[in-house]
Each structure stands twice: as C-alpha cells, then as structure tokens.
C-alpha cells in the first residue's frame, strides 16, 4: 500500500512541477499574496473553532449533570455516547458517567470496567482531573467491597500519587482514598501500615470537620471512624476496634451540640456504635461490659426496628445467645421483600446462613430444616443467575469496543465535514485567483488528481490500521480483565511465604491461581482450563469467581471442588473442563487439607540436615477434572503438618514447555533445579524456574500457558 501511495504522489508532483516551471514568473506575486491570505483565513477559522469547542464542552457537562439529577440512567448512557461522538465529552468524562449509570443499575462489573477506562485515559484538563478523582474513589471502593484488595490498593495509591503531583485532589478525595488504602492493607495482613493510613485519614477528616457548621464534614469523620472499627472487627482484631468506637462516640457528642443536629441521626448512630462496641468487648472476654453496651443499643428506636434487630445478631451470635438471634431473624423474609433484596449468592451468605446457624444453635430443628431448604432452593437459582449476569456483563464489555469504533467513526465523519467546510472556503479563494490566469487552472487540475489518488490511498491505509488497532485493543482489554482476576500482591504475614506467577501463551489464556486469607486459614488453588484463547479465559473467569465465593463460606477443598463441578457442568455444551488443585492450610498447626481434580502432582520440598533439598511428587487420590460429569463427589485428603516444607504447584506449561526442536523441559530437569540448592523464599523458586524455561525455549514462542505457585508455612 505504501509503495503505491508514493508512486501516485511522485507522478502528480512531476506533472505539476513541469507545468508550473514555465509560468513561474507570471504567478509568483499572486502565489505569495494567496499564501498570506490563506494562512490568515485558517488562523481566524481555527481561533473561532477553539472557542466554540470550549463552549460546547461546558454545555455538555451541564447536560450530563442535569441528566444525573433525574437518575434516568438509560438517558445518561445515550448522552455519553452521543456527546463523546461529537467530541464534546472527553474519554475520562464519558467513561466516568457510564460507570455511574451502570453502578446505579446494579451492573457492578460493567461499571468497574468503565471506571477503569476513565482512570486509564489521558488527563488533558482540570475537568478531566476532577472526573479522574471521582472515578478513582468509586473504583477503589468497589474493588475493596468485592475483596480485590490488591487491585483496590493499586488504584488508590496511583490516584493519591497523581493528586500529590498535580495538586488536583480535594481534602475529601485524599481522606477517602487514604482510608481505602488502610482497609486494603489491613485485609492483606499489613496491620502496622494499615494503622498509619487509618490515623492519617482520620486526621484529614477531623481537619475538615472542625471548621464546618453544617455537620456534613463531621458526619464524614464519624462514618470513617465506624468504618475503621468495622474493618478491624471483620479482621478479628477486636482490641484495635475498641478505640475507634470511642472516637466515633466523641464525634457523635460533638454533632449533638450543633443547631442542625437531628434526633433520628443521633439515635441510629448511638445504636450502631454500641453494637460495634458490644461485638468487640464480647470477643475480648469483657462479657459484662459487652452485655451492657448491647442493652443500651436495643433500647433505642433503631435497636427496636427490624433493621436494628438484624444488625444486633452479630453480637448475639458471638455471645451464643442463639434463641434471641433466631427470634430476630423471624422477620427476615419480610424485610428482604420490603427492601427489594433478591437472594443472590452474596445475600444467601449474608442473611440465610446466619439465620440457619442461629436456629441450629437454638436447637430449633424444624426452623433450621426450613431455612436449610430455603438455602437449597435459592442456591441453584442464585448460581444460575450469577452465571447469566457474568456472561451478560462480559458480553457488554466486549460489545463496548464495537460501540467505541462507531463513536470513532462518527468523530471522523464530523471532522471530515468540518474539513469540507474549510475546503469550500479555500476553494472560493482558489477560484478567485484562477480568474487571473488560465495557466494556474491546468496546474491545479493536475494537483487535484494527485490529491484524489493520495486521499484514496490514505483512506485505505487508515481503514486497515484502524481495524488492526481495534482487534489489538480488544485483546489487550481482555488480557487486563483476566489478569485483574488473579492476585499479584501477596500477604505480608509472619510465618507465611507465598508467591505465584502466570504467563498466558496467547493474549488471553486458561490458567488460573488464587488465594484467600481468612483469619488463620489460607485457601489457595491453581488450575488449567482445557483449550486456549477467549473461550478458555471466560471459563477461567467463572472458575475463579466460584472458588472465591465458596472459599468465603469456609468449605473444605473437596466440597469446593464438588460445588464448582455442579455449577460448571450446567449448560456446558462445549465440553470444557478445568484441572484444579485446591488447598486449605491452617497457619497455626500446619494442617493441610487438599483436593486434586485431575491436576499435575505438586512437589514437596524438604530441607535435609546436610543442607541440601529433598524433593518428591505428592501422591494423591485420583479425581476427574472439574466440569466433565455433573454428579461427581470429589474426595479430599490431608497432611497432618506441613510446617517447614515447601509446596510447589504448577501447570503443565512448565514441564511440557518446548524449544524450537520440540524438546520438552521435562520432570527430570524440574526436579534437578528444585534440588540444586536451598532457596531463600518462594519468589526465588518461581523466578528461577521461569528463567530456566525461557532459556530452554531459546526465543521460541510458548506452546502453553505457564503458571506456578510456591508456599511455605514456617
């Protein structure tokens, strides 16, 4: 294409130069005059256009805010598409509004997708910086709530760095993001760093609250204190939670002194503080003080309401007052119905499971059986609905690229129309000068032919380039979505050393790994989906989400494998499956429960008294891969104590990695490297093998996805 384009240009230039050379003296003065007039016209036109663009951008912002006030989210999405296509909304602004619309429609994954695009887009103005800050705050909070602590931490830290460098963030932005950083660090086991972030965020909230007479800033500081106390309770650090309940109460007392203070707000807040304090006191052994705090809470209007009684059950369950908790749960179905709350997987875990445990603890067998039946009836539909929602939202995200291509095409059409308008003005000027000389007309004719050929060649080249860039962009986004599902930040916890890495053979792949730290229990998995590319990546996404959901319910590995198999075999017309190793390690006593579903045998590394390393494959029961037969019951196994041992898990992209002559890396070489010397930590094991595989390939493209995980309990 490029050779043809250049040849057309050369031919046209040659003819034009030949014609013009014989008449150069005649048209020299008129050409100079034409050039000066032309540049002046373009300058005046461009200045007017720039001013018009600023006015249009300001109007676009006003339109979007007006639509936001109406909460008509379908209209917000349509306006974002239209105004971005016209060039009146930037990528940051348009994607932020899409994120808002999908968030309030309950489509969290699609909302997160657009917030990520807003955060990743180039910031070109102060308005872009403002929309970036809002997007980063919402995105970090969404990722925190769904348990993606590593992802939320990256977003929040990047946003704080940009606000610091550009001096663009408000005090509220910085305080909220700093509080989010503390929550992420706490959930990742970095307690000292989390405490510093919480204290810094609280200090920022207090600075804003001191000079605010409306009570809004004080309410933000109060919410932050309660949020921090709740985070410590969720992390089972009850001693650390108590000081924050005291701080929340001090802020509530200050709020009471304001003329704008509302009695309902005071009543609700005091009840919530006392319930948080009761849970913390109960779990630190201060049972009398806990009972008093609980009594103070239930004597408020909020404590006697349906919502308040449900909120109180966290304390009642901790205090083993199961009968009272079961009584409070009697109105659960009515409250869920009034609130329009459907029984999703998350809501089954949040509401029905505690209700079941309360009735079991109260020895109300009939009620427990009824709740158990309700859980069973709801679980199938909830899993199916979750799968449908995941598939629909993934489809929406992939369809987004077609929509973006249409927007880009519309913008190109508008630019072309504006260019045509400019060209018409220029043609009028050219026509005026052609009256003075017939020689000019012939030269212009040849130049026009050359321009037409050049434009045709350029359009073809632009069309091909745009198609290639669109495909590459879709694959990059798919890879980013997939990589965001596996953690790349590992717990900084004493006595635990874990590290993992993944490298897809193509832009997207089917390997997966994950971990979940719940108190003193570490859930982890590593798997390999059949096939490669986009279908494998979608199946991998389902498997990853199911593992995290079932692990949070404290199931054993074999039960997790069985439940995942039931979900993944449903409507599995393509016959896809995943080999998976699932483990549950007790960090206190070193016990390891595991289930191997058709995956490669892990390797156990044990130091010897002579300072060498002894490695062996772990012998396990045979289980089929997950997703093949719906009625399988997977069998689990256990190792009484793995402390002092290293466990190395991998996909077959390691031992079956091929060089240019199709020679495999092999188990012998794998064992030789693992036993060649003692390793300092898990990361060194994984990185050493990764480099060894690269050297083995000698530049050959990988033939399969490669995933490795190494862990040790000291």
């Amino acid at each position: 294409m490029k050779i043809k384009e250049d040849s057309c240009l050369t031919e046209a230039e040659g003819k034009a130069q030949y014609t013009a050379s014989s008449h150069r003296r005649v048209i020299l003065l008129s050409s100079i005059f034409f050039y000066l007039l032309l540049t002046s016209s373009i300058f005046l036109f461009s200045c007017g256009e720039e001013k018009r663009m600023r006015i249009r951008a300001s109007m676009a912002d006003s339109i979007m805010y007006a639509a936001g006030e109406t909460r008509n989210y379908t209209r917000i999405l349509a306006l974002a598409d239209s105004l971005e296509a016209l060039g009146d909304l930037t990528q940051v602004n348009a994607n932020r509004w899409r994120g808002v619309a999908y968030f309030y429609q309950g489509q969290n994954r699609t909302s997160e997708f657009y917030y990520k695009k807003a955060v990743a887009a180039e910031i070109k103005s102060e308005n872009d910086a403002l929309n970036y800050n809002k997007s980063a705050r919402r995105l970090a909070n969404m990722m925190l709530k769904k348990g993606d602590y590593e992802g939320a931490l990256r977003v929040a830290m990047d946003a704080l760095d940009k606000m610091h460098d550009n001096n663009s963030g408000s005090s509220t932005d910085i305080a909220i993001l700093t509080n989010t950083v503390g929550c992420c660090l706490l959930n990742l086991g970095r307690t000292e760093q989390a405490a510093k972030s919480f204290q810094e965020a609280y200090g920022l909230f207090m600075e804003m609250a001191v000079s605010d007479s409306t009570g809004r800033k004080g309410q933000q500081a109060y919410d932050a204190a309660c949020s921090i106390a709740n985070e410590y309770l969720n992390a089972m650090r009850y001693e650390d939670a108590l000081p924050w309940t005291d701080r929340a109460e001090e802020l509530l007392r200050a709020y009471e002194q304001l003329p704008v203070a509302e009695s309902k707000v005071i009543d609700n807040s005091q009840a919530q503080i006392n319930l948080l304090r009761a849970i913390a006191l109960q779990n630190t052994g201060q049972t009398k003080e806990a009972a008093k705090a609980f009594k103070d809470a239930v004597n408020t209007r909020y404590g006697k309401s349906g919502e308040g009684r449900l909120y109180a059950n966290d304390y009642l369950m901790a205090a083993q007052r199961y009968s009272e908790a079961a009584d409070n749960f009697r109105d659960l179905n009515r409250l869920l119905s009034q609130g329009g709350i459907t029984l999703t997987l998350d809501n089954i875990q949040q509401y029905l499971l505690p209700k079941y445990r309360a009735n079991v603890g109260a020895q109300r067998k009939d009620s427990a059986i009824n709740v158990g039946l309700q859980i069973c009836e709801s679980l199938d539909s909830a899993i199916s609905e979750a799968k449908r929602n995941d598939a629909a939202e993934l489809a929406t995200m992939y369809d987004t690229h077609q929509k973006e291509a249409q927007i880009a095409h519309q913008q190109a059409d508008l630019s072309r129309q504006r260019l045509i308008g400019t060209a018409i003005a220029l043609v009028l000027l050219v026509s005026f000068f052609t009256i003075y000389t017939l020689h000019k007309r012939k030269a212009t004719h040849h130049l026009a032919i050359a321009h037409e050929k050049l434009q045709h060649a350029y359009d073809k080249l632009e069309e091909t380039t745009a198609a290639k860039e669109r495909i590459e962009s879709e694959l990059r986004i798919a890879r980013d979505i997939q990589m965001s599902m596996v953690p790349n930040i590992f717990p900084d916890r004493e006595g635990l050393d874990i590290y993992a890495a993944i490298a897809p053979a193509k832009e997207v792949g089917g390997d997966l790994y994950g971990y979940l730290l719940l108190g003193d229990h570490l859930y982890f998995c590593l798997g390999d989906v059949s096939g490669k590319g986009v279908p494998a990546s979608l199946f991998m996404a389902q498997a990853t989400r199911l593992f995290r959901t079932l692990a949070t319910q404290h199931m054993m590995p074999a039960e997790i494998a069985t439940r995942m198999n039931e979900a993944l075999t449903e409507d599995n017309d393509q016959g896809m499956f995943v080999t998976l190793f699932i483990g549950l390690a007790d960090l206190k006593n070193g016990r390891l429960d595991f289930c191997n579903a058709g995956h490669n045998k892990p390797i156990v590394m044990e130091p010897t008294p002579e300072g060498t390393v002894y490695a062996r494959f772990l012998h396990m029961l045979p289980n089929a891969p997950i997703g093949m037969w719906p009625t399988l019951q997977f069998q689990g196994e256990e190792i009484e104590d793995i402390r002092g041992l290293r466990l190395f898990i991998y996909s077959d992209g390691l031992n079956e990695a091929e060089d240019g002559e199709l020679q495999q890396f092999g188990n012998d070489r794998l064992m030789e490297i693992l036993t060649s010397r003692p390793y300092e930590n898990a990361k060194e094991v994984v990185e050493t093998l990764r480099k060894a595989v690269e050297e083995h390939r000698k530049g050959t493209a990988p033939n399969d996805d490669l995933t490795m995980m190494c862990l040790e309990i000291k």
Side-chain angles (χ1 to χ4, degrees), residues 123-256:
I123 298 175
K124 298 180 179 179
S125 64
E126 291 184 5
N127 189 44
D128 275 353
L130 176 64
N131 282 283
Y132 168 85
N133 296 344
K134 292 179 179 178
S135 299
R137 276 173 48 183
R138 177 63 62 78
L139 176 60
N141 185 258
M142 290 175 67
M143 297 174 80
L144 171 65
K145 287 184 176 180
K146 76 172 188 178
D148 184 3
Y149 308 122
E150 300 91 347
L153 183 61
R154 283 196 302 272
V155 171
M157 293 295 290
D158 288 346
L160 287 171
D161 288 342
K162 285 186 180 180
M163 291 178 191
H164 176 74
D165 294 340
N166 302 330
N167 195 26
S168 61
S170 67
S171 298
T172 302
D173 292 333
I174 295 171
I176 292 175
L177 283 168
T178 303
N179 192 63
T180 301
V181 168
C183 295
C184 294
L185 291 171
L186 180 62
N187 282 283
L188 290 171
R190 304 179 185 179
T191 54
E192 292 184 4
Q193 294 170 280
K196 292 179 181 178
S197 292
F198 285 146
Q199 196 60 47
E200 182 181 347
Y202 184 70
L204 291 169
F205 280 121
M206 289 301 295
E207 287 179 10
M208 293 184 288
V210 167
S211 58
D212 179 42
S213 59
T214 65
R216 288 193 295 270
K217 300 297 184 182
Q219 184 65 37
Q220 286 182 335
Y222 164 80
D223 290 339
C226 287
S227 170
I228 294 168
N230 200 51
E231 288 294 332
Y232 275 121
L233 291 179
N234 291 336
M236 293 186 288
R237 300 186 66 88
Y238 305 110
E239 290 284 358
D240 294 327
L242 284 171
W244 289 101
T245 61
D246 295 338
R247 291 188 178 103
E249 191 158 36
E250 290 173 6
L251 288 164
L252 185 59
R253 299 288 81 81
Y255 173 78
E256 283 183 315

Side-chain angles (χ1 to χ4, degrees), residues 694-709:
E694 288 180 359
E695 292 173 1
H696 173 72
R697 289 198 185 109
K698 299 176 183 177
T700 305
N703 57 303
D704 200 357
D705 305 330
L706 171 60
T707 306
M708 296 177 283
M709 174 184 287

Side-chain angles (χ1 to χ4, degrees), residues 87-392:
D88 298 334
L89 276 186
T90 63
Q91 287 186 351
V92 179
N93 205 349
N95 283 316
R96 180 230 160 191
W97 279 109
R98 292 183 184 112
V100 170
Y102 283 114
F103 176 81
Y104 285 107
Q105 292 181 93
Q107 299 184 40
N108 288 344
R109 179 173 290 183
T110 308
S111 174
E112 180 181 331
F113 174 75
Y114 280 112
Y115 276 127
K116 284 181 177 177
K117 290 178 72 67
V119 168
E122 182 182 359
I123 298 175
K124 298 180 179 179
S125 64
E126 291 184 5
N127 189 44
D128 275 353
L130 176 64
N131 282 283
Y132 168 85
N133 296 344
K134 292 179 179 178
S135 299
R137 276 173 48 183
R138 177 63 62 78
L139 176 60
N141 185 258
M142 290 175 67
M143 297 174 80
L144 171 65
K145 287 184 176 180
K146 76 172 188 178
D148 184 3
Y149 308 122
E150 300 91 347
L153 183 61
R154 283 196 302 272
V155 171
M157 293 295 290
D158 288 346
L160 287 171
D161 288 342
K162 285 186 180 180
M163 291 178 191
H164 176 74
D165 294 340
N166 302 330
N167 195 26
S168 61
S170 67
S171 298
T172 302
D173 292 333
I174 295 171
I176 292 175
L177 283 168
T178 303
N179 192 63
T180 301
V181 168
C183 295
C184 294
L185 291 171
L186 180 62
N187 282 283
L188 290 171
R190 304 179 185 179
T191 54
E192 292 184 4
Q193 294 170 280
K196 292 179 181 178
S197 292
F198 285 146
Q199 196 60 47
E200 182 181 347
Y202 184 70
L204 291 169
F205 280 121
M206 289 301 295
E207 287 179 10
M208 293 184 288
V210 167
S211 58
D212 179 42
S213 59
T214 65
R216 288 193 295 270
K217 300 297 184 182
Q219 184 65 37
Q220 286 182 335
Y222 164 80
D223 290 339
C226 287
S227 170
I228 294 168
N230 200 51
E231 288 294 332
Y232 275 121
L233 291 179
N234 291 336
M236 293 186 288
R237 300 186 66 88
Y238 305 110
E239 290 284 358
D240 294 327
L242 284 171
W244 289 101
T245 61
D246 295 338
R247 291 188 178 103
E249 191 158 36
E250 290 173 6
L251 288 164
L252 185 59
R253 299 288 81 81
Y255 173 78
E256 283 183 315
Q257 306 305 315
L258 296 176
V260 296
E262 299 179 21
S263 59
K264 183 178 179 181
V265 172
I266 296 169
D267 180 83
N268 288 5
S269 301
Q270 186 64 63
Q272 290 168 3
I273 291 170
N274 284 329
L275 287 172
L276 290 172
R277 182 178 288 141
I279 296 169
L281 289 168
Q282 179 67 31
N283 284 282
T284 55
Q286 303 176 65
T287 55
K288 290 184 179 179
E289 294 84 349
K292 182 181 182 305
F294 176 74
K295 184 177 180 181
D296 291 341
V298 297
N299 284 334
T300 62
R301 289 193 301 273
Y302 176 79
K304 295 173 183 177
S305 67
E307 180 185 350
R309 291 200 306 275
L310 287 181
Y311 194 18
N313 281 345
D314 288 339
Y315 163 77
L316 292 173
M317 294 295 287
Q320 299 183 3
R321 293 163 63 171
Y322 300 117
S323 294
E324 295 174 65
D327 290 340
N328 286 346
F329 274 123
R330 285 176 178 171
D331 290 337
L332 176 62
N333 291 337
R334 181 178 60 81
L335 292 171
L336 293 178
S337 177
Q338 287 179 350
I341 299 174
T342 58
L343 289 176
T344 62
L345 288 173
D346 291 337
N347 289 336
I348 290 172
Q349 180 184 359
Q350 183 176 355
Y351 298 114
L352 292 187
L353 285 178
K355 181 178 180 180
Y356 174 79
R357 294 190 184 105
N359 280 284
V360 170
Q363 298 184 354
R364 300 179 182 179
K365 295 182 180 179
D366 291 341
S367 297
I369 291 171
N370 289 333
V371 179
L373 290 173
Q374 186 181 4
I375 292 173
C376 293
E377 292 171 358
S378 305
L379 195 57
D380 287 341
S381 60
I383 291 174
S384 299
E385 183 65 22
K387 289 170 64 176
R388 284 194 294 271
N389 291 341
D390 285 348

